[in-house]
Amino acid sequence: MKAPKNFQFISLLVITSITFSCSSSGRGSEVKDRIAGKYASESESTFDYYRDTVEIKPTDDGKFDVQTIAHWSNAKKDDPNRPANKVAGVWNKGKTGSVLVADFQASDTTLRIVGQLRGGVNILSFDVDKGVMQWPSDDGETVTYTKISE
């Protein structure tokens, strides 16, 4: 009599694990689709205003390409002695960033970028419902990007 109960328990366990694994992989692909796109941020320092745009594109191998496609800066005050941003109110475009390859982590909705030269990992966190990405900067601050429509 114990054999049928054990068989039922094992069958239930297998069916449950298959159900959860299938549903989470479907959810993961939906989240991947929602992460892809362009994100913009605005910030400022003591002397300048900044506007950045980052593009996130899925690749064929299940990873993501992450690239800063626009980096703008604008001086708060005129300063003829500065090498860049000499005139207040004039937006200056910086160069685009290199393409970074990121791995998707479905459990916490993050992209992980492994540093090529210095090692370390940058973790980009997403709130896909709000369309927000958090990117930690080198100085310990976190830059918030908002998803924009194209």
Side-chain angles (χ1 to χ4, degrees), residues 30 49 64 77 95 103 125:
E30 175 191 333
Y49 298 107
F64 284 87
K77 297 180 186 177
K95 60 183 180 177
D103 292 310
S125 303

Side-chain angles (χ1 to χ4, degrees), residues 80-92:
N81 296 322
R82 292 179 73 187
N85 292 341
K86 296 178 181 185
V87 180
V90 175
W91 285 95
N92 300 292

Side-chain angles (χ1 to χ4, degrees), residues 22 29 31 33-34 38 49-50 53 76 106 110-111 123 131:
C22 290
S29 64
V31 171
D33 292 341
R34 292 178 65 191
K38 293 182 182 175
Y49 298 107
Y50 300 100
T53 305
K76 290 183 175 180
T110 59
L111 291 180
I123 299 174

Side-chain angles (χ1 to χ4, degrees), residues 79-118:
D79 186 353
N81 296 322
R82 292 179 73 187
N85 292 341
K86 296 178 181 185
V87 180
V90 175
W91 285 95
N92 300 292
K93 185 174 183 182
K95 60 183 180 177
T96 60
S98 58
V99 177
L100 305 171
V101 178
D103 292 310
F104 177 66
Q105 185 76 34
S107 62
D108 59 357
T109 318
T110 59
L111 291 180
R112 297 169 187 268
I113 302 169
V114 177
Q116 296 296 324
L117 300 175
R118 294 183 288 163

Side-chain angles (χ1 to χ4, degrees), residues 8-111:
Q8 290 173 348
F9 177 74
I10 292 172
S11 299
L12 179 64
L13 187 62
V14 169
I15 290 171
T16 304
S17 65
I18 290 172
T19 302
F20 281 117
S21 66
C22 290
S23 66
S24 66
S25 66
R27 185 176 124 335
S29 64
E30 175 191 333
V31 171
K32 282 183 170 184
D33 292 341
R34 292 178 65 191
I35 284 176
K38 293 182 182 175
Y39 294 80
S41 75
E42 292 186 7
S43 60
E44 65 181 276
S45 68
T46 305
F47 303 104
D48 298 303
Y49 298 107
Y50 300 100
R51 291 184 184 161
D52 296 331
T53 305
V54 172
E55 184 173 28
I56 299 175
K57 295 190 280 189
T59 61
D60 293 337
D61 60 355
K63 298 185 181 207
F64 284 87
D65 285 342
V66 179
Q67 182 180 24
T68 300
I69 58 173
H71 178 74
W72 292 87
S73 61
N74 174 1
K76 290 183 175 180
K77 297 180 186 177
D78 287 344
D79 186 353
N81 296 322
R82 292 179 73 187
N85 292 341
K86 296 178 181 185
V87 180
V90 175
W91 285 95
N92 300 292
K93 185 174 183 182
K95 60 183 180 177
T96 60
S98 58
V99 177
L100 305 171
V101 178
D103 292 310
F104 177 66
Q105 185 76 34
S107 62
D108 59 357
T109 318
T110 59
L111 291 180

